[in-house]
Amino acid sequence: MHADIVFISGTVRTGAADPPLCDALAVTDGRITALGAEALASRGPRTAVVDLAGGALLPAFGDGHVHPVMGGLGLAGVPVRDTASVEEIVEAVRRWAAEHPEAEWITGDGFDPWLAPDGRFDARWLDAAVPDRPVVLRTMDHHTAWVNSETLRRAGYTAGTPDPAGGEILRRDGTAEPLGTLREFGALGPVLALIPTASHEAQVAALREAAARFAAAGVTWVQDAWVEPHQADVWVTAATTGPRLPVRADLAFVLEPGDWRERITRFAADRDRVESSAPGLLTARTVKFFADGVIESGTAALLEPYTDCPHSHGIANWTPAELAAAVTAVDALGFRAHLHAIGDAGVRGALDAIEAAARANGARDRRPVIAHAQLIHPADLARFAALGVIANLQPLWAQPDPLMTELTLPRIGPERGGRQYQIAALLDSGARLSFGSDWPVTAHEPLRGIATAVTRQTPDGEPAGGWLPEERIDIDTALAAYSAGCAHQAFEEKEWGALRPGMRADLVHLAADPVGTAPGDLAHLPVLGTWLAGRRTHHAAAFQRTGAGRR
């Protein structure tokens, strides 16, 4: 039997021990059928031959924590992501408002929270650009919003408004008057609820745009880590109408304190509806929790107080008892828990809740995920492996960028600052690891995160030798975390994440072998092609010019 596709003339990195390398790979009916000489012998008159042109073929990447609909929608609105100052943001708002006089609300996502001193953004700065329409801009971590005075007025935020549970309304110095900076979802929620929801059609279009970007980065599976009830229908529509989606996905239904007991009663039916609509493409087997906030805004939950704010331990979004009860309840329904936890108290609370669920519901292969795990107390490091917890880390964050140097380190001090993003330490402890981007928080391209995991340096190569260099990992380990690690997180390690006969042909073609590429060049290594179960989902223009391959 002849193969449908044979890849030749390059390095095939299988991600497996035997063989780790070969020079050809064959695909038939969407699955890998042969490697090396056997693959070359399977060519027939109708076989599509893809010339790797000296590049490398690898298992496609996954993304273990990402927000596709949110990211796609964020591509619209005020373009603030690449601004370098408060003044640039204000001018971008002014310009966008003038170009869109019909817009009732002016929104934008992705600006850097260190652009204002201590991350304190003043409503009056935005009022100078737009005084009569509400403006809501969210920082790159999405845990803080900068709003103008009209937004504060519509939300009913005044000097007499107390800080809500799970949120903080920053005040103007020396007064109780709201400044214009809102932190965490308790404070953001009332504002976001006022913004008209994008139409179903707009959300589907946003998801398609995001999926195309993933494919162009070599990604074939994503964990949507924040699915509101209506967004399951967005995925179903995108998967069942129009062009075929270029990625598979697992959906994580978000669960928040308060009405969680009522909300989970719908999860099983939603899961069944999603999975029956697009079998093999969509699953919905995860529930997302926010254990805490983020360090840069002082809202991550810490065991010891913030260095710059000795009265504050941050914000725990759940009480320990309620988080344990909620995780236990969704675990009993067969869902896997996926917990955002950044501070060391947040991580400990997440581990405690997972342990409580296992104790209540009995032993099984549940593969819970703690995402981010930025700061882990030394006493908790070994608990990841002991409890079977997957650490889903965002390797692109493991660098001394301005977010780290201007906001994070001053808030937690040198001792805690020196044990952040312990990628190597977690691996050495026996913990399972997967990588993700958290896009649109940061860039979605896996190669950028892989480069940082290997170097622990900024894009400018600073510092020499890397930041916390003992936490650097080698290129093979980093590649595996973005492929096999994500497949393990998805319970699909027998289907993808390595290149073995019988496995799905989820493949990425890189312009050069990443193992032989200088670390400083990894982030810019071109992705020339991506295949989802043997179907090409990305075909780079540079690759087209070579004339190599037809699928």
Side-chain angles (χ1 to χ4, degrees), residues 131-500:
D132 55 346
R133 286 184 281 170
V135 179
V136 181
L137 308 177
R138 297 178 73 177
T139 55
M140 45 83 79
D141 58 24
H142 277 237
H143 287 256
T144 294
W146 176 20
V147 304
N148 69 346
S149 296
E150 177 62 15
T151 300
L152 293 171
R153 185 190 69 79
R154 293 199 186 193
Y157 285 164
T158 68
T161 305
D163 281 349
E168 182 182 12
I169 304 167
L170 269 62
R171 312 292 172 162
R172 204 171 298 282
D173 288 342
T175 76
E177 180 186 355
L179 175 66
T181 300
L182 309 175
R183 289 177 174 167
E184 290 307 322
F185 302 111
L188 272 63
V191 169
L192 300 179
L194 297 173
I195 301 174
T197 302
S199 69
H200 180 77
E201 292 75 18
Q203 292 185 68
V204 171
L207 174 56
R208 290 195 179 281
E209 172 64 23
R213 290 176 179 235
F214 298 141
V219 173
T220 58
W221 176 87
V222 298
Q223 174 72 70
D224 188 330
W226 187 348
V227 176
E228 300 285 352
H230 69 278
Q231 289 174 334
D233 292 329
V234 173
W235 274 102
V236 169
T237 297
T240 57
T241 63
R244 287 185 291 175
L245 278 179
V247 295
R248 288 187 299 274
D250 181 64
L251 313 189
F253 300 120
V254 67
L255 196 62
E256 298 171 327
D259 65 346
W260 68 266
R261 287 178 173 83
E262 188 276 331
R263 192 165 182 178
I264 65 170
T265 62
R266 303 191 296 270
F267 281 178
D270 288 343
R271 173 181 58 197
D272 294 345
R273 177 170 55 85
V274 168
E275 297 190 358
S276 63
S277 70
L281 194 63
L282 299 183
T283 58
R285 301 172 185 175
T286 304
V287 174
K288 165 70 174 294
F289 300 81
F290 282 96
D292 64 351
V294 293
I295 293 174
E296 59 265 23
S297 66
T299 56
L302 300 183
L303 294 169
E304 300 296 330
Y306 279 85
T307 302
D308 67 336
C309 192
H311 69 276
S312 175
H313 288 256
I315 297 175
N317 293 325
W318 297 73
T319 67
E322 280 291 277
L323 183 59
V327 171
T328 298
V330 301
D331 180 77
L333 292 173
F335 287 93
R336 47 185 175 249
H338 187 112
L339 298 100
H340 162 117
I342 282 186
D344 50 9
V347 171
R348 179 169 293 179
L351 289 165
D352 289 347
I354 291 165
E355 187 172 20
R359 187 167 55 246
N361 297 331
R364 78 165 190 272
D365 184 9
R366 47 179 42 88
R367 303 187 195 181
V369 173
I370 293 181
H372 315 316
Q374 180 172 348
L375 187 63
I376 305 170
H377 190 277
D380 291 321
L381 194 68
R383 297 179 69 195
F384 281 78
L387 294 171
V389 175
I390 298 168
N392 175 261
L393 302 182
Q394 287 57 56
L396 192 57
W397 301 358
Q399 58 173 296
D401 59 10
L403 181 70
M404 179 62 64
T405 58
E406 299 296 324
L407 291 181
T408 299
L409 289 174
R411 293 207 158 114
I412 59 176
E415 189 279 324
R416 288 179 294 188
R419 51 182 173 89
Q420 296 183 83
Y421 305 119
Q422 295 177 276
I423 299 174
L426 281 164
L427 287 167
D428 290 344
S429 76
R432 299 299 295 255
L433 187 70
S434 67
F435 278 168
S437 67
D438 205 13
W439 184 76
V441 172
T442 44
H444 67 284
E445 297 94 342
L447 286 169
R448 293 178 62 173
I450 288 167
T452 307
V454 171
T455 65
R456 304 279 293 203
Q457 292 176 326
T458 68
D460 295 329
E462 296 294 334
W467 174 66
L468 307 179
E470 68 277 9
E471 295 297 342
R472 292 179 302 184
I473 59 175
D474 62 58
I475 180 65
D476 287 309
T477 303
L479 289 166
Y482 251 126
S483 52
C486 289
H488 175 80
Q489 177 180 324
F491 280 82
E492 295 181 350
E493 67 272 19
K494 295 181 180 179
E495 288 289 305
W496 58 277
L499 306 183
R500 300 187 186 95

